[in-house]
Amino acid sequence: MRRLAPWRQQIAGRLGWAVADQGVSSLENFLLGVFVAKMLGAEGLGALGLAFVAYSIALSCSRALATDALAIRFSGASEKVWRTAASAATGVALLIGVATGAVSVGLGLILRAAEPGSGAGTAFLAIGIAMPALTLLDSWRCVFFAAERGAKAFLIDAVWTVLFLSLLLIAQLTGTRSITLLLVGFGVTALAAAVVGMVNARTVPRVFAARAWLQQHRDLGNRFLVENVVMGAGGQIRAPVVAAAVGLAAVGAIRAAEMLVGPVAALLMGISQVSVPEAARALRKGSGSLLRLCLGLSGGLAAVGFGWGLVVIVVFPFGIGEALLGTVWTEAHQVLLGVSVSAAFGCLMIGPSAGLRALARADRTMRCQLVVSALSVLLGSAGAVVGGALGAVWGTAIASIAGAAIWWWQFLRSRREHFRGAAELVPPDARVKTTGAPA
């Protein structure tokens, strides 16, 4: 059996830790969804889905302003430099969690005042309380991957998962049916795991360094903020549109189908945590290395995505889906194919996205995300109005297919421009290899 080259073994090892880390994190989210689906039904799951809209947007802001620049500019940095950057980046993430959490709490209070007993209002309120801990934990995860310390990222997520699963078990045994307690517990256990991250990094978040960090990296941060927020919000706008068009139960059905293809999303998120640092390292090796890495990332993920989607569509109707989701399975099954197609084509975007970020082309990543998110919102929303939940997921799937083509076109174009420009900067004499003594 042919052995991998040492550098390929190192890449495989880092990717492996990323997948394992995202696997335990996604298991936690999946079991929370299963618990809510069985205890609170489709409407409870729909309320959870709306709360995760706020969670997704908060993480998008945090990564754009705090950890994306760290992954691009501090991968492979010395221990002292890395620790200083890590404390500043996590300080930014903590402040963003406080700000977005306050917005979420305010929205929750408004919804509850407008409609007493509103499940969506309660969920926004609870996730807002938990938000600072959630963004802080996510920043430590990204910091460790940027420093090639995937095992430590895995450790903090494993601690979080064990603690939260213990909380779910207690809730099951005591018959707790409060989404507020579950989401606040989601944040409390995340905070405990974040403390483990601080101990392992031997540093703490420095919120007073946040201003300097934002100014130093504003050339990337501002564009990545627009891109990430558009991506996070654009991917989630469908939920309130579907809720308004056909009710909260339809949102729960889509959320349930997305949970079933969760392993693909887990793999995608896991690889995305290390894809930018890996692309930055490949860029230093040359054009061919960068292209091979991006092709490998997209091709491998897409193959797994299509394969898992086929398994879910063919196998889960024979009792597995109903066992996992209970009465929600019937509605989820109707939208499963569209959700699977959307997830599989979404995998094709990870390679060019990482490549463009490694090339520091924040202008083009922002442009791609604006166009793709606009397509997703327009087609998904139009589909929801015309065809309800089924129309929404197929509109989103068509947008994913077009989006993959757009990302690859922009990446290949930027790659050619970058290496053509680099070649033009090399003096003519330096391009000629000398084999003998000078005349």
Side-chain angles (χ1 to χ4, degrees), residues 39 70 306 386:
M39 299 295 289
L70 184 140
F306 280 110
V386 174

Side-chain angles (χ1 to χ4, degrees), residues 314-342:
V314 173
V315 177
F316 276 45
F318 295 97
I320 298 177
E322 188 173 358
L324 290 172
L325 300 176
T327 58
V328 183
W329 161 249
T330 302
E331 292 82 4
H333 183 244
Q334 296 174 2
V335 299
L336 191 54
L337 179 59
V339 170
S340 299
V341 170
S342 183

Side-chain angles (χ1 to χ4, degrees), residues 287 359 409 411-422:
S287 174
L359 291 166
W409 173 55
F411 166 63
L412 293 174
R413 178 185 172 190
S414 298
R415 171 178 159 271
R416 285 194 301 270
E417 292 173 354
H418 175 85
F419 286 100
R420 185 186 301 124

Side-chain angles (χ1 to χ4, degrees), residues 232 367 389 421:
R367 193 180 308 155

Side-chain angles (χ1 to χ4, degrees), residues 40-117:
L40 302 176
E43 290 196 3
L45 193 58
L48 179 66
L50 291 177
F52 269 61
V53 172
Y55 180 27
S56 174
I57 292 173
L59 291 190
S60 296
C61 294
S62 176
R63 291 177 180 179
L65 296 176
T67 54
D68 280 353
L70 184 140
I72 293 171
R73 291 176 169 165
F74 294 91
S75 295
S78 66
E79 179 72 17
K80 182 178 179 180
V81 171
W82 171 81
R83 190 174 291 125
T84 301
S87 63
T90 53
V92 173
L94 180 58
L95 289 178
I96 291 172
V98 172
T100 54
V103 172
S104 184
V105 167
L107 179 59
L109 292 174
I110 292 172
L111 290 174
R112 291 185 65 177
E115 183 183 348

Side-chain angles (χ1 to χ4, degrees), residues 248 282 303:
L248 201 57

